[in-house]
Amino acid sequence: MQSLDSLRTNALACRNCSLCETRTNVVFGAGNPNAELMFVGEAPGAQEDLTGEPFVGRSGRLLTSLIEGIGLTRDQVYISNVVKCRPPDNRDPEPGEVAACAPIIASQIEYISPRVLVTLGNFATKLLLETKTGITKLRGTPVAYRGGVLIPVLHPAAVARRGSAGLIEARSDFEAIKLALASDPSEVK
Ligand code: URA
């Protein structure tokens, strides 16, 4: 298995799709390489592109507060995205861009091997669960995934758009994460 450092080195030099022409930084991922809890978002936005760090803009501040709300800090978890370079104007990543990047997130998940893997929003959920079912149906329910569990939750940007209803849904999703961390993943069917 490739180390996280060597995966990062390769990702920083990646020119496998045209996003390399417009990116400022590759946003590889950040946090604890031994984390029991890993988050996967969609793709970097403007702030992430500028800093090289995932989830540091508005969505990131909301994600941080949700993580802290279940008694953890960002340093204890690992945070990454399906696509590592910012799509211009925050458009959705295209299938070719996802295909070019997919091996990296697969290797990160394999390396970190979290007990609880959380997909943030439709994009990561559909890709990792290979499903067409939408996030509103799947959110908050753990499914067995590679020896641990995967829990789809609303993307923080969707939480913000839904206002106080979104926050209530997000807090309930994060309670499911807390519960999964406290229980034996082999019990999840
Ligand atoms: N949205 C994402 O999906 N990822 C980020 O890193 C920031 C915003």
Side-chain angles (χ1 to χ4, degrees):
M1 192 195 311
Q2 236 180 315
S3 75
L4 216 48
D5 279 348
S6 106
L7 283 169
R8 177 190 288 275
T9 303
N10 291 345
L12 296 194
C14 179
R15 303 196 63 80
N16 289 346
C17 83
S18 62
L19 294 181
C20 70
E21 313 284 350
T22 48
R23 74 183 176 217
T24 311
N25 285 294
V26 174
V27 182
F28 177 71
N32 176 5
N34 302 310
E36 297 210 313
L37 175 59
M38 174 173 178
F39 292 90
V40 182
E42 180 175 325
Q47 289 303 311
E48 291 79 19
D49 177 60
L50 286 176
T51 58
E53 294 291 314
F55 282 98
V56 290
R58 228 177 101 176
S59 288
R61 286 191 290 279
L62 184 48
L63 177 61
T64 303
S65 83
L66 289 165
I67 290 170
E68 290 173 353
I70 56 166
L72 295 170
T73 64
R74 271 180 76 116
D75 291 348
Q76 290 176 295
V77 307
Y78 193 86
I79 304 176
S80 191
N81 283 302
V82 170
V83 169
K84 308 300 193 222
C85 299
R86 182 189 183 207
D89 304 320
N90 294 345
R91 65 161 169 73
D92 286 345
E94 289 171 0
E97 294 159 356
V98 176
C101 241
I104 308 179
I105 191 65
S107 299
Q108 284 172 298
I109 293 169
E110 187 190 6
Y111 184 89
I112 292 172
S113 190
R115 279 206 312 124
V116 180
L117 178 64
V118 175
T119 48
L120 296 163
N122 257 322
F123 198 84
T125 304
K126 288 182 173 175
L127 183 84
L128 296 186
L129 283 184
E130 298 179 46
T131 180
K132 288 192 164 62
T133 308
I135 188 69
T136 46
K137 279 229 166 77
L138 297 176
R139 54 165 278 266
T141 304
V143 289
Y145 189 83
R146 302 190 182 184
V149 296
L150 185 154
I151 307 182
V153 307
L154 289 176
H155 191 284
V159 175
R161 275 196 305 272
R162 290 153 88 113
S164 54
L167 261 186
I168 290 168
E169 289 167 320
R171 289 197 183 115
S172 132
D173 290 351
F174 272 68
E175 281 307 310
I177 296 172
K178 189 175 176 182
L179 203 66
L181 285 168
S183 54
D184 178 353
S186 66
E187 286 166 12
V188 178
K189 296 283 173 280

